[in-house]
Amino acid sequence: MSEARYLGLSPYLYYTDATEALDWLVRVFGFSERVRYVDGAGQVFQATVAAGAAEIVLAGVGSDYWESKGVDRPVGQLNVVYVDDVDAQFDRVCAALGEGGDVTAPQDQPYGARVFTVADIGGNSWTFWQQTSDTAELPPGWQEIRAEPPTGDQDLPLG
């Protein structure tokens, strides 16, 4: 029996106002709009944006959807976006948000990354991540354990 190959992964994010969220993601983060689907009133009910080769799908849902799930609004999640210059992305986000923006300053992490995090208008957190080293500076007693590389072509990298 053959096994299915992974072809990628895409976040699917819910927003109360997908039109506003789409505009915000493009304006603040610089994502590229790929497609939007609108209802008869011109409101986005689903859209796809790109961050490099990665695609993010967003959808608009009403309060009745969330009530049926037992919550009063969309539940946020953390999304990691890999960039080649985290400081330039930080400058872009701060300029787009202006004085009212709540953005953590980029910080170097012991696992070889420089990152910053910002929340979007729907409560989702976005961490922009620049890999700065292939080595981790772990605290005493901690260790790095890597899995064996896969055999065959079942997990070929995309791209």
Side-chain angles (χ1 to χ4, degrees):
M1 170 172 57
S2 66
E3 292 187 32
R5 288 184 39 204
Y6 295 113
L7 300 177
L9 176 69
S10 176
Y12 192 98
L13 306 175
Y14 297 106
Y15 293 91
T16 302
D17 185 335
T19 303
E20 180 183 31
L22 174 60
D23 293 343
W24 193 94
L25 292 169
V26 169
R27 179 180 61 82
V28 175
F29 293 161
F31 292 166
S32 301
E33 182 178 333
R34 291 278 170 92
V35 63
R36 69 171 66 194
Y37 300 97
V38 298
D39 61 20
Q43 294 298 304
V44 174
F45 65 85
Q46 185 170 307
T48 301
V49 296
E55 290 191 339
I56 300 129
V57 181
L58 53 129
V61 294
S63 60
D64 55 335
Y65 176 84
W66 296 109
E67 289 169 8
S68 73
K69 301 290 183 193
V71 295
D72 61 354
R73 60 180 164 64
V75 178
Q77 71 177 42
L78 172 63
N79 301 284
V80 177
V81 180
Y82 298 97
V83 296
D84 63 355
D85 187 339
V86 79
D87 293 295
Q89 182 67 10
F90 175 76
D91 291 343
R92 176 198 173 82
V93 169
C94 288
L97 292 176
E99 293 290 322
D102 185 18
V103 186
T104 62
Q107 296 180 342
D108 294 322
Q109 301 299 317
Y111 41 82
R114 184 164 174 76
V115 303
F116 78 90
T117 300
V118 60
D120 71 17
I121 60 173
N124 297 298
S125 294
W126 296 84
T127 293
F128 290 89
W129 177 306
Q130 178 182 353
Q131 196 67 36
T132 57
S133 173
D134 289 333
T135 59
E137 298 174 22
L138 301 173
W142 291 36
Q143 58 182 315
E144 178 177 326
I145 301 171
R146 293 189 181 258
E148 292 294 321
T151 58
D153 65 351
Q154 69 269 18
D155 290 317
L156 289 176
L158 297 175

